[in-house]
Amino acid sequence: FPSHDTTHLEAAGMIGSEIGETIVEDALFNINNLSEELADVVLRTIGLTQRFNIKLDLAIEQCSEWSEWAKKTSWDHRSNLEKLALICSQLSPIINICRHSEIDLENLSKKSALLLTSVQNISNLYKIDLDLVITNKINKNLLKGKNGRPK
């Protein structure tokens, strides 16, 4: 995952950009683009955490905060847009962590795991095979150079 010479805060902002694009695609009822944008949220989050060698698989396994949050969050009565907006609120702590010169790696790990687990949950609600979409997205991106230009 290339950094494209961004700061940590800019990398966190790019996650927010992808979340925004996800909400737009949902509003347009475009499930294919929505799937790709959810994959982009995951890939951008992984890219940010890889800067710090955070082991996300372990963080996700240990993410007790997710189970507590999920217990308090009823998904049944919410619109799709509300479900997507919930992941916006999970980005704020990540941005705040990245604002500091000294990065709290444990907190960044936990908050990133919470965000990714929520994205997976939303993908499940939309019946999106997120693993497949991410794999296809990575393969598609490998064919492109920097800034989407063919290699």
Side-chain angles (χ1 to χ4, degrees):
F1 300 96
S3 69
H4 297 296
D5 301 320
T6 60
T7 66
H8 307 317
L9 186 56
E10 289 169 329
M14 291 304 296
I15 298 168
S17 174
E18 300 299 349
I19 292 171
E21 291 173 11
T22 300
I23 292 169
V24 167
E25 295 305 336
D26 177 68
L28 296 173
F29 304 105
N30 189 332
I31 194 70
N32 289 331
N33 287 355
L34 173 68
S35 301
E36 284 204 12
E37 296 306 336
L38 287 170
D40 286 342
V41 172
V42 171
L43 293 172
R44 293 280 186 185
T45 304
I46 291 169
L48 173 64
T49 58
Q50 279 187 340
R51 293 169 177 237
F52 305 102
N53 297 316
I54 291 174
K55 307 289 184 220
L56 278 173
D57 52 344
L58 182 61
I60 289 170
E61 285 177 26
Q62 297 173 344
C63 190
S64 60
E65 190 174 345
W66 162 254
S67 56
E68 289 303 313
W69 182 80
K71 286 177 194 173
K72 296 176 192 172
T73 305
S74 172
W75 294 88
D76 297 337
H77 72 282
R78 297 186 187 276
S79 70
N80 289 347
L81 188 58
E82 287 176 307
K83 292 170 187 171
L84 290 168
L86 288 171
I87 64 174
C88 291
S89 66
Q90 294 171 340
L91 179 61
S92 180
I94 294 171
I95 290 173
N96 284 330
I97 292 165
C98 291
R99 288 179 44 228
H100 302 286
S101 57
E102 221 24 68
I103 303 295
D104 179 349
L105 295 180
E106 182 178 346
N107 206 15
L108 179 59
S109 175
K110 288 178 185 177
K111 298 303 180 183
S112 297
L114 179 61
L115 175 64
L116 291 179
T117 306
S118 298
V119 169
Q120 180 63 60
N121 189 43
I122 289 169
S123 297
N124 292 344
L125 292 169
Y126 281 93
K127 297 184 180 6
I128 294 169
D129 183 345
L130 194 56
D131 290 335
L132 177 63
V133 176
I134 290 170
T135 300
N136 291 340
K137 185 83 175 173
I138 290 171
N139 290 334
K140 180 178 164 183
N141 289 344
L142 287 173
L143 297 175
K144 296 178 179 180
K146 190 173 181 179
N147 299 323
R149 295 185 189 106
K151 287 185 173 183

